[in-house]
Amino acid sequence: MITFDFDARLALVTGASRGIGKQIAGELLDANCKVLGTYSTDEKSASDCRNQFASFGSDFELLKKDVSIGSDIIELFDYAEGRFSREISLLVNNAGILKQRPFIELSVEQWRNTFEVNLMGPFFICQEFLKRCHSGGSIVNISSIGGQTGGDKAPDYAATKSAIISLTRSLARLGSGQNIRANAVAPGWIKTEIFSEQQLNQLERQARQMIPLGRMGTPDEVAKAVLFLLSDAASYITGHCINVNGGMYFG
Ligand code: NAP
């Protein structure tokens, strides 16, 4: 088993209240990291998450901050510096939304909302991160297989996830002078609450035929790739995107 030690560095994980983000936050805490997480609306998941990580004491905090609101992000960074007395040097842009709808019914409002959360959010956060991170750092942006193959059920989502890969490559160039690496992880079908129970059942069945490894993935399988990219084990990797998709797409 691979273990990491992040030497009490501070990580910001967006969308840390459930699913993939919560798994990443938990694994970072286990790896000697301090973690500031965010969520925006789901109080039940937030409360469950705080309870689950209570044993980490002051090393973990989950704040209600919407990634699509620029002023929330500035407040978040200001707060982090005072509360943890160190700069955020590890960043995981994980928060994301997916609403599946036939293309011809897709409203301008949904298109905007998906872009605001999935793309504007990482833009605000990375801009602030680059302004404030002076001693080297690592960014991991969560993309999706949908951003690589296109999506007939959620083209708005697919467009944002493709753009995230492009943004990651730009950040790899922009951050290099500050010793900041930027990489992406593109998960395939991962069992989380982003899907309804009915969708999950259907995807599980389809996975047996459509995915070479014959199953959906789990949040910890994504978290492992994220921790690797955040860590010094990936010290010469930047601008890359790791697929965590069971072989569903190889590009
Ligand atoms: P999830 O279970 O729905 O969790 C999403 C998290 O993001 C929650 O903590 C949610 O909290 C938070 N969030 C949503 N909108 C937010 C906002 N405006 N501001 C701050 N936080 C917000 O989803 P997941 O499956 O873990 O997905 C995590 C990431 O992986 C997403 O970027 C997703 O696109 C990507 N991904 C997932 C899969 C998959 O199969 N599951 C595949 C490829 C990529 P609130 O609801 O309280 O805001």
Side-chain angles (χ1 to χ4, degrees), residues 15-21 38-42 65-68 94-97 117 142-144 157 161 187-190 192-195:
S17 60
R18 57 172 196 266
I20 294 169
T38 68
Y39 72 106
S40 71
T41 52
D42 173 5
K65 295 286 176 197
D66 189 324
V67 295
S68 67
N94 165 78
I97 52 169
V117 176
I142 305 298
S143 177
S144 167
Y157 175 85
K161 293 298 182 177
W189 294 353
I190 309 299
T192 73
E193 291 173 41
I194 206 167
F195 301 115

Side-chain angles (χ1 to χ4, degrees), residues 17-39:
S17 60
R18 57 172 196 266
I20 294 169
K22 184 165 87 170
Q23 184 72 31
I24 294 167
E27 297 204 16
L28 283 170
L29 287 164
D30 281 336
N32 190 22
C33 214
K34 294 177 188 294
V35 178
L36 180 60
T38 68
Y39 72 106

Side-chain angles (χ1 to χ4, degrees), residues 194-211:
I194 206 167
F195 301 115
S196 67
E197 215 156 294
Q198 193 190 358
Q199 286 172 323
L200 278 175
N201 290 335
Q202 200 181 356
L203 289 174
E204 293 242 41
R205 277 195 303 277
Q206 289 175 351
R208 289 183 211 124
Q209 310 296 327
M210 291 177 61
I211 300 179

